């Protein structure tokens, strides 16, 4: 496709006066949040959306409003009457202008009404480029979808620039097998360590298997694949990755389904233990971010996906200068674009995303590049890693810090939260799929891993909280209750607070005395046979009473010590204990042994975070052991736990 032909595909659009001002505001980089005047009501916004594409995008942010307000007790009839009067507000939360002339801004859109005390927040990213800017020559500003040839030029430029980054150099490693993709388009075949000519330069593919994979290496197919793999058996996602690797002169590629014999359990466990080596040694990891399975290719297009609400258009020439403005708008944050996609829903792919020195995020309409020196988009946006690390679900981890730096622990807890919400075909894979990251972090933290927790920060790591309703229970996996691997649903660490600079120091109250983890086979790559820890910390019994109003919150408020639950004009939340039970919401009162994890002060109030425990069934004469059933925090004018009343407990 010629450049002129590509430009012809770009639509000229008229936008409303409010959105025109919004687009102009993206050129400002004041660094301060900016509120923008816009249509006064949702009814006016919806009317403008019929002709203004940006209003249409903004209005689409609230397509699920009806279901959301219903959860807050607003009937469908009341919603239909009141929604047209809801008030939209728009705010630029941050804005950046690149040297190339590209500008991008994170936008917060709020829809609220005081009448029913409701506000719904959403965000989108607005990027602009003027025809006078150098970036206007980049393919994403010339055409809705760049050609493969355009993309190869961009990939090669990223590789050339990244070759000067010392921190991005792969750690030399020779995988057990690689797929030889002869650069002269010879036969595809598997080669082993002792037959490959150059084992240090290879690509890796990060992709979703889907419900079924049409091709894989087994004991039976291995001898045949050493000679040749028929090209017509290669699924489209693999074929695209092979084409990319060939185009940038990478002679080998590692694809898990081909390079590990899938019906050899001994080899599988051994290779799982080398995942960190494989991805850290990769010259380039090609990530098929938006493909739900191997049949969709690296650059799929799906009308039903949220990405297709994105906009690309050009405004009519400015009367004074004759220059045009090109506009791309994305739902959500551009930093999370590679995360809010099918690849990041799968558990096995996180270690590929975290451990690879260089990641090519293959997406529509533009690719993203991530290395240990920065993050870039095909359209010319550069995002510093420090900016990426601010995002809770970021695939970026800090590098170059001293071993054991606290930032590694904070990043680890972010990683745990992002990993725990991912899906697995087989729940037993939750630990093996995390093995590469665990081994990698054991070096960064200089610490001993304990099933997703760490010896030195055990008290803090125990404070994970379930953030989604449990969909299944992993009782058949023999996982201990104190590990987040055993917690059904996803987990997160961000609720408890006490981590901000203005807060008092967080003081651990729990000590890890000893531990024992036994495996069926290779540690981290096989199933857990048994596991327990012995800890010591302050304890007390607390009667916990759920109540209806408290259950409307996340996490629920809980009544403790027969406190007064009555709300007043000056005390909207008179309750001081909030927590979550791991197995799901409880409805009946109970008295539990509670174990203090850590404590601090916030706004002169004592804040204590504790585990909720239950004794396990034991035979006569056996030591009583406990299992974790939940976690909670309590605040008060004085501490709830007596630091002198400690007890040694065995947790299973």
């Amino acid at each position: 496709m010629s450049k002129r032909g590509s430009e012809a595909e770009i639509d000229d659009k008229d936008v409303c006066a409010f959105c025109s001002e919004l687009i102009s505001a993206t050129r400002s980089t004041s660094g301060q949040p900016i509120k923008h005047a816009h249509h006064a009501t949702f009814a006016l916004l919806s009317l403008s959306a019929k002709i203004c594409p940006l209003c249409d995008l903004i209005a689409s942010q609230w397509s699920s409003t009806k279901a959301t307000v219903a959860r807050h007790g607003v009937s469908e009839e009341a919603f239909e009457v009141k929604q047209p009067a809801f008030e939209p507000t728009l705010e630029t939360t941050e804005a950046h202008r690149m040297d190339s002339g590209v500008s991008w801004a994170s936008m917060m859109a709020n829809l609220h009404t005081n009448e029913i005390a409701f506000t719904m927040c959403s965000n989108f990213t607005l990027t602009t480029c003027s025809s006078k800017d150098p970036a206007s020559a980049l393919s994403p500003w010339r055409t809705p979808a760049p050609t493969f040839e355009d993309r190869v030029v961009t990939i090669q430029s990223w590789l050339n620039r990244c070759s000067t980054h010392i921190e991005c150099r792969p750690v030399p490693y020779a995988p057990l097998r690689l797929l030889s993709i002869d650069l002269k388009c010879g036969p595809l075949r598997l080669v082993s360590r002792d037959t490959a000519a150059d084992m240090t330069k290879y690509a890796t593919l990060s992709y979703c298997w889907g419900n079924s994979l049409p091709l894989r290496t087994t004991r039976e197919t291995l001898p045949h694949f050493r000679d040749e793999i028929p090209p017509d058996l290669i699924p489209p996602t693999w074929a695209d990755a092979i084409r990319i690797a060939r185009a940038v002169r990478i002679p080998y590629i590692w694809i898990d389904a081909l390079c590990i014999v899938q019906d050899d359990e001994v080899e599988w466990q051994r290779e799982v233990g080398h995942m960190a080596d494989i991805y850290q040694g990769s010259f380039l990891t090609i990530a098929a971010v938006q493909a739900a399975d191997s049949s969709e290719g690296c650059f799929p297009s799906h009308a039903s996906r949220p990405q297709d609400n994105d906009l690309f258009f050009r405004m009519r020439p400015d009367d004074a200068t004759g220059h045009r403005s090109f506009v791309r708008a994305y739902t959500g944050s551009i930093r999370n674009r590679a995360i809010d996609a099918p690849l990041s829903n799968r558990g096995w792919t996180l270690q590929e995303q975290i451990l690879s020195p260089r990641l090519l995020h293959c997406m529509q309409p533009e690719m993203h590049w991530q290395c240990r020196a920065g993050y870039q988009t095909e359209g010319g946006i550069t995002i510093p890693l420090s900016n990426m690390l601010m995002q809770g679900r970021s695939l970026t981890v800090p590098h170059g810090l001293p071993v054991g730096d606290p930032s590694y622990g904070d990043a680890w807890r972010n990683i745990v939260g992002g990993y725990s919400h991912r899906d697995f075909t087989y729940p037993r894979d939750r630990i093996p799929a995390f093995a590469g990251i665990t081994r990698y972090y054991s070096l960064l933290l200089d610490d001993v891993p304990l099933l997703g927790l760490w010896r030195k920060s055990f008290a803090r790591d125990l404070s994970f909280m379930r953030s989604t309703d449990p969909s299944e229970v992993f009782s058949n996996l023999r996982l201990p209750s104190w590990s987040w691997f055993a917690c059904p649903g996803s987990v997160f660490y961000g609720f408890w607070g006490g981590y901000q600079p203005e807060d008092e120091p967080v003081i651990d109250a729990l000590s890890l005395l000893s531990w024992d983890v036994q495996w069926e086979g290779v540690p981290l790559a096989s199933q857990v046979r048994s596991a327990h820890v012995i800890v010591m910390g302050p304890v007390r019994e607390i009667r916990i009473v759920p109540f209806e109003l408290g259950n409307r919150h996340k996490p629920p408020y809980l009544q403790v010590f027969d406190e007064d639950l009555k709300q007043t004009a000056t005390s909207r939340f008179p309750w001081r204990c909030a927590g979550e039970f791991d197995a799901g919401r409880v409805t009946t009162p109970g008295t539990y042994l509670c174990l203090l994890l850590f404590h601090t002060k916030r706004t002169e109030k004592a804040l204590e975070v504790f585990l909720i425990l239950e004794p396990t069934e034991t035979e006569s004469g056996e030591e009583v052991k406990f299992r974790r059933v939940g976690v909670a925090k309590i605040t008060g004018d004085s501490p709830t736990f007596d630091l002198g009343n400690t007890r040694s407990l065995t947790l299973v």
Side-chain angles (χ1 to χ4, degrees), residues 164-185:
T164 64
H165 302 157
I166 296 176
E167 65 269 38
C168 299
R169 292 176 183 172
V171 180
Y173 181 71
L176 177 63
R177 293 183 197 88
L178 288 170
L179 178 64
S180 175
I181 53 173
D182 190 289
L183 299 182
K184 297 180 180 178
C185 296

Side-chain angles (χ1 to χ4, degrees), residues 3-203:
K3 292 182 181 179
R4 186 173 301 275
S6 298
E7 290 173 349
E9 296 181 9
I10 304 174
D11 294 328
D12 286 325
K13 296 288 187 181
D14 291 314
V15 297
C16 71
F18 291 116
C19 287
S20 180
E21 289 295 325
L22 198 63
I23 292 168
S24 298
T26 63
R27 315 295 280 185
S28 170
T29 56
S30 65
Q32 299 297 320
I34 303 173
K35 293 185 178 180
H36 305 279
H38 215 268
H39 295 287
T41 65
F42 186 77
L44 292 174
L45 177 69
S46 300
L47 185 63
S48 179
K50 296 179 180 179
I51 57 173
C52 174
L54 198 48
C55 281
D56 190 33
L57 176 72
I58 295 168
S60 73
Q61 303 292 297
W62 299 310
S63 59
S64 61
T65 304
K66 183 183 297 186
T68 302
V69 297
R71 291 195 295 270
H72 289 262
V74 179
S75 69
E76 184 173 334
E77 294 77 11
F79 172 79
E80 295 293 346
V81 172
K82 298 178 183 298
Q83 187 196 29
F86 285 5
E87 302 166 4
T89 60
L90 291 170
E91 180 178 355
T92 299
T93 55
E94 61 176 310
H96 307 270
R97 183 174 171 83
M98 308 289 103
D99 292 339
S100 63
V102 175
S103 297
W104 69 278
S106 291
M107 311 298 302
M108 177 64 72
N110 298 319
L111 188 66
H112 58 89
T113 172
N114 293 328
E115 188 176 349
I116 58 174
F118 168 78
T119 298
M120 184 170 182
C121 305
S122 61
N123 63 82
F124 62 97
T125 303
L126 191 59
T127 67
T128 63
C129 177
S130 171
S131 58
K132 67 179 179 180
D133 293 327
S136 63
L138 298 174
S139 55
W141 296 109
R142 300 193 318 260
T143 177
T147 65
F148 180 78
E149 291 73 23
D150 286 333
R151 285 178 162 143
V152 169
V153 171
T154 302
I155 297 167
Q156 191 62 66
S157 70
W158 282 334
L159 283 170
N160 292 342
R161 191 178 303 116
C162 188
S163 66
T164 64
H165 302 157
I166 296 176
E167 65 269 38
C168 299
R169 292 176 183 172
V171 180
Y173 181 71
L176 177 63
R177 293 183 197 88
L178 288 170
L179 178 64
S180 175
I181 53 173
D182 190 289
L183 299 182
K184 297 180 180 178
C185 296
L188 298 172
R189 61 191 184 91
L190 287 179
V191 294
S192 57
R193 266 194 285 251
D194 57 353
T195 60
D198 180 6
M199 301 302 291
T200 60
K201 188 174 181 179
Y202 61 91

Side-chain angles (χ1 to χ4, degrees), residues 495-497 540-544 555-563 574-580 594-602 604-612 631-642:
F495 171 69
W496 309 117
R540 73 171 296 170
E541 288 191 341
I542 299 178
R543 180 169 173 78
I544 296 175
Y557 284 104
L558 304 165
Q559 184 188 34
V560 293
F561 307 119
D562 297 320
E563 63 190 353
W575 324 297
R576 62 192 187 99
C577 183
E580 193 78 85
C594 297
L595 172 66
L596 181 64
L597 298 178
F598 55 85
H599 58 96
T600 186
K601 280 189 176 181
R602 297 191 72 187
E604 300 306 316
K605 293 281 188 179
L607 183 151
E608 298 162 293
V609 176
F610 60 91
L611 290 187
I612 305 170
V631 64
K633 75 170 182 180
I634 190 167
T635 59
D637 294 328
S638 59
T640 296
F641 288 82
D642 177 1

Side-chain angles (χ1 to χ4, degrees), residues 428-442:
R428 65 175 181 270
D429 288 347
R430 290 186 103 201
I431 296 177
F434 208 61
I437 299 175
T438 300
R439 289 192 168 95
Y440 177 64
Y441 257 84
S442 66

Side-chain angles (χ1 to χ4, degrees), residues 256-529:
D256 55 359
L258 285 180
C259 297
I260 300 175
V261 176
Q262 297 298 306
D263 58 353
D264 186 332
E265 183 65 22
V266 174
E267 178 177 304
W268 187 88
Q269 288 190 20
R270 184 177 66 243
E271 290 304 292
V272 164
H274 289 299
M275 287 298 179
D277 302 317
I278 291 169
Y279 284 99
Q280 287 182 272
S282 173
F283 187 79
L284 174 66
T285 293
I286 301 166
V289 171
Q290 294 172 334
D293 59 47
S294 62
S295 70
E296 295 185 352
C298 286
F299 302 100
S301 178
H302 298 279
S304 62
R305 296 240 173 114
Q307 287 86 351
D308 290 308
N309 289 332
D310 300 339
L311 294 175
F312 177 43
F313 61 91
R314 63 185 176 192
M315 299 176 68
R316 301 192 187 281
D318 183 271
D319 292 337
T321 65
H323 297 303
R324 295 175 180 270
S325 286
F326 296 84
V327 179
R328 278 193 181 275
Y330 304 96
T331 54
S333 169
I334 198 167
R335 281 175 295 229
N336 290 341
R337 195 160 180 83
I339 301 176
D340 298 330
L343 187 66
S344 291
N345 291 331
R346 303 303 302 172
W348 277 101
T349 62
L350 180 62
Q351 62 184 350
E352 303 160 9
Q353 297 164 326
I354 292 289
L355 300 174
S356 300
R358 302 181 183 118
L359 265 169
L360 176 67
H361 298 293
C362 296
M363 296 185 288
Q364 297 282 25
E366 56 176 332
M367 302 179 297
H368 287 196
W369 171 269
Q370 179 179 335
C371 69
R372 291 175 178 170
Y375 192 100
Q376 301 172 65
T377 74
E378 197 174 354
I381 293 173
T382 299
I383 305 175
L385 287 185
S386 58
N387 194 298
M388 296 294 293
L389 286 167
M390 293 167 59
Q391 308 306 302
R393 295 179 59 210
S394 173
L395 300 175
T396 306
V397 297
H399 294 282
L401 301 175
V403 171
D405 189 282
S407 295
Y408 288 132
D410 293 339
W412 171 267
R413 285 182 274 273
N414 277 340
I415 289 170
V416 166
Y419 179 78
S420 65
H421 88 278
R422 296 186 174 216
D423 299 326
F424 288 91
T425 303
Y426 305 106
R428 65 175 181 270
D429 288 347
R430 290 186 103 201
I431 296 177
F434 208 61
I437 299 175
T438 300
R439 289 192 168 95
Y440 177 64
Y441 257 84
S442 66
L443 300 176
L444 297 180
L445 294 169
D446 186 26
D447 207 345
V448 178
L450 298 171
L451 292 178
L453 288 68
W454 297 95
R455 178 179 61 84
K456 294 179 182 178
S457 58
F458 197 71
R460 198 75 50 85
D461 295 341
L462 276 171
S463 68
F464 63 85
M465 185 179 77
R466 177 180 58 80
S467 61
T468 61
D469 292 333
S471 57
E472 56 186 319
V473 178
F474 308 129
S475 57
N476 60 326
L477 299 183
R478 298 191 296 276
L479 295 171
S481 65
W482 47 264
S483 170
W484 56 263
F485 282 118
C487 187
S490 60
V491 303
F492 78 111
Y493 282 96
F495 171 69
W496 309 117
Y499 302 106
Q500 302 303 318
E502 64 270 16
D503 294 323
E504 295 289 331
V506 177
I507 301 172
D508 290 346
L510 175 141
S511 299
L512 175 62
L513 302 181
S514 64
W515 63 90
D516 183 61
V517 179
Q518 299 294 324
W519 300 87
E520 294 287 355
V522 176
L524 300 179
S526 61
Q527 301 306 300
V528 174
R529 180 181 299 156

